[in-house]
Amino acid sequence: MNKRTLKALLSATACAAAISAVPANAGEFDGVTLQAKLIGGQQYEALYARIAEWEAETGATVDIISKKNHFELDKEFKSDMAAGTLGWCVGSNHSSFASQYPSLYTDLTPYLTPELIAEYVPSNIAASKIGDALVMLPRAQFDVSALYYLKSAYADEANQAAYKEKTGRDLTPPDTWDEYKEQAIFFTDAPNFYGTQYAGKDEAIVGRFYEMVVAEGGQLFNDDWTPAFNSDAGKRALAWFVDLYEAGAVPPGTTSYLWDDLGAGFASGSIALNLDWPGWAGYFNDPESSKAAGDVGVIVQPQGSAGIRTGWSGHHGFSVTETCDNKEAGASLVAFLTNEESQTLESSAGPLPTRTAVWETVVAAAKDDPYQAEVLTAFQAAASHAFPAPQTPYWIEATNLIYPELQAAILGDKTVDEALETASEAVDEMMQENGVY
């Protein structure tokens, strides 16, 4: 079953139930205009084409006034809050960012039925709350990273022989991060082919560092929120990034990469190993978008020296602002964008759903598609090792202090010890200034 057939099957299965789940009557919001600020990027765009259906059903109009990656949206949201320019109604949200906005978004509970809320996976709903307030509805973008790899790199007989001679071991996809690093260096033939890549700035690099610290047996923060990453585990974690960069096993621009750059990189067929999100699965195996199509393998993410697998996770969602002058319409749009048909559409390309019924539909449909079955198996295993970003409203502020120091170590401007000491002191000072301890 190809991607288009799978998408058609899934959409047909969920269509009737999804339309009936929209909490709005025909024409209920005639003349209403909702301004929205939404995350942009290849893996998110297909869903937005459905907004026209909601407009036709309800009589409302959606004006998307900003569409950026979430790091840029985060800056824009904070600027709007500081300036009091919160005339817009619907915004993209994320479980890793939500705790920063305790006054920005309204509690959706009064605008939705308990029966509708119960259709979502309970753990995702729990992670969509601040206290008792349901501040977003989760979309089919539950994120935990598994390992994508090029099968041809492992099937190549010359690679197999050379790796066996060099290491004494058979060449198979890595189960540990030490093996991953070793293989990434082995595969590299710069500038035409690189062993791996990683996001190198903003929360993206800190999140990867965070999960590597955990995999090495450490933690980013202590229970009292004092920084804990300037540790042996933290040093081993950061050295992993540094070693790959120094060996030339990642593209030289990696410290400026974010998720779309990584997606484009692996899809170019010039990257052997890629730790990445489920939302890319369909894109990577689609011959219209990816040179790697037909050559993609997916397995559970590797483990660190502590025997713990990486598993930094979170999920995307949509929220309605507290200042929205028609919260009912906003909640209706958010419910529509996360209903069964919407989640089935997104899940058909690889992202993991956050509705129980869609999980069941996706698993059933994948039985006749070996690649989709492989993807689901890998990401179900990956999800079993998932853990959230630190649940503090200062998470993003902390990442903004940490990531320049990680970059400095990767680029060789500081030693690992110097970078972690500086980052730890900066985070400690920030936490104290905010009265955390």
Side-chain angles (χ1 to χ4, degrees):
M1 185 185 301
N2 62 32
K3 177 183 172 184
R4 291 183 182 83
T5 303
L6 177 64
K7 183 177 290 187
L9 172 62
L10 293 174
S11 294
T13 302
C15 184
I19 292 175
S20 66
V22 179
N25 298 316
E28 180 176 351
F29 303 121
D30 278 341
V32 172
T33 296
L34 295 179
Q35 291 188 325
K37 295 194 172 188
L38 305 179
I39 188 169
Q42 181 276 331
Q43 68 268 48
Y44 309 119
E45 294 294 334
L47 175 63
Y48 302 151
R50 296 204 67 224
I51 291 175
E53 298 176 38
W54 181 83
E55 291 175 321
E57 175 72 16
T58 65
T61 300
V62 179
D63 179 15
I64 301 175
I65 60 174
S66 184
K67 192 185 290 183
K68 301 175 180 177
N69 70 53
H70 215 132
F71 304 111
E72 294 302 317
L73 282 181
D74 177 62
K75 296 173 185 175
E76 192 168 298
F77 293 166
K78 289 173 180 173
S79 176
D80 289 345
M81 293 168 70
T85 53
L86 289 169
W88 48 279
C89 276
V90 174
S92 288
N93 207 345
H94 193 284
S95 57
S96 293
F97 288 75
S99 61
Q100 299 181 103
Y101 317 129
S103 62
L104 175 58
Y105 292 124
T106 197
D107 181 7
L108 293 169
T109 308
Y111 308 101
L112 306 170
T113 66
E115 292 77 14
L116 186 144
I117 295 172
E119 294 171 3
Y120 297 83
V121 175
S123 60
N124 293 126
I125 286 293
S128 298
K129 293 182 176 181
I130 297 178
D132 294 329
L134 180 63
V135 297
M136 65 172 162
L137 281 183
R139 67 189 287 183
Q141 292 284 348
F142 173 65
D143 282 339
V144 63
S145 292
L147 177 57
Y148 296 90
Y149 65 94
L150 291 184
K151 292 181 177 180
S152 58
Y154 289 86
D156 184 88
E157 293 183 359
N159 282 347
Q160 292 176 353
Y163 190 78
K164 183 78 168 183
E165 181 178 357
K166 181 177 181 179
T167 68
R169 301 189 303 275
D170 291 334
L171 180 60
T172 59
D175 190 55
T176 71
W177 285 110
D178 282 344
E179 290 175 337
Y180 184 111
K181 180 173 69 173
E182 181 180 53
Q183 291 182 10
I185 295 170
F186 170 79
F187 284 130
T188 296
D189 183 20
N192 300 313
F193 194 83
Y194 291 93
T196 191
Q197 56 184 354
Y198 51 77
K201 67 177 185 177
D202 295 337
E203 185 220 20
I205 179 65
V206 182
R208 288 288 184 239
F209 170 69
Y210 160 52
E211 62 182 344
M212 290 293 289
V213 172
V214 172
E216 290 298 314
Q219 52 189 353
L220 210 66
F221 295 101
N222 295 309
D223 291 343
D224 62 358
W225 295 109
T226 53
F229 55 83
N230 187 17
S231 62
D232 289 343
K235 292 172 184 178
R236 290 194 298 272
L238 180 51
W240 183 88
F241 296 92
V242 172
D243 291 347
L244 285 168
Y245 189 85
E246 288 183 346
V250 296
T254 197
T255 50
S256 66
Y257 283 5
L258 289 174
W259 308 125
D260 282 358
D261 304 295
L262 301 185
F266 188 72
S268 74
S270 63
I271 304 291
L273 294 161
N274 184 49
L275 182 72
D276 220 328
W277 311 107
W280 290 105
Y283 182 83
F284 288 154
N285 210 44
D286 184 347
E288 294 183 7
S289 58
S290 173
K291 294 181 180 179
D295 192 24
V296 182
V298 195
I299 59 171
V300 68
Q301 66 272 33
Q303 58 188 311
S305 64
I308 301 170
R309 297 190 187 276
T310 52
W312 168 46
S313 68
H315 68 268
H316 293 251
F318 297 103
S319 299
V320 177
T321 60
E322 191 67 72
T323 56
C324 181
D325 58 6
N326 198 319
K327 293 184 178 66
E328 292 82 1
S332 173
L333 175 61
V334 166
F336 178 84
L337 290 173
T338 62
N339 69 17
E340 283 192 33
E341 186 175 12
S342 293
Q343 291 219 5
T344 300
L345 171 65
E346 291 206 278
S347 295
S348 68
L352 305 183
T354 56
R355 275 176 166 264
T356 303
V358 181
W359 261 111
E360 295 169 354
T361 302
V362 170
V363 169
K367 290 180 180 178
D368 296 324
D369 186 319
Y371 176 71
Q372 289 289 346
E374 181 179 353
V375 167
L376 281 175
T377 297
F379 278 102
Q380 284 180 310
S384 71
H385 302 284
F387 47 85
Q391 299 299 290
T392 168
Y394 304 107
W395 162 242
I396 297 299
E397 193 168 346
T399 68
N400 288 336
L401 296 172
I402 296 170
Y403 90 77
E405 298 303 322
L406 302 183
Q407 287 182 327
I410 291 167
L411 295 172
D413 297 330
K414 289 186 177 181
T415 66
V416 166
D417 287 5
E418 290 169 343
L420 291 182
E421 182 177 1
T422 301
S424 181
E425 290 175 352
V427 172
D428 180 63
E429 182 178 353
M430 180 271 292
M431 290 292 193
Q432 290 191 59
E433 288 177 349
N434 284 285
V436 177
Y437 48 82

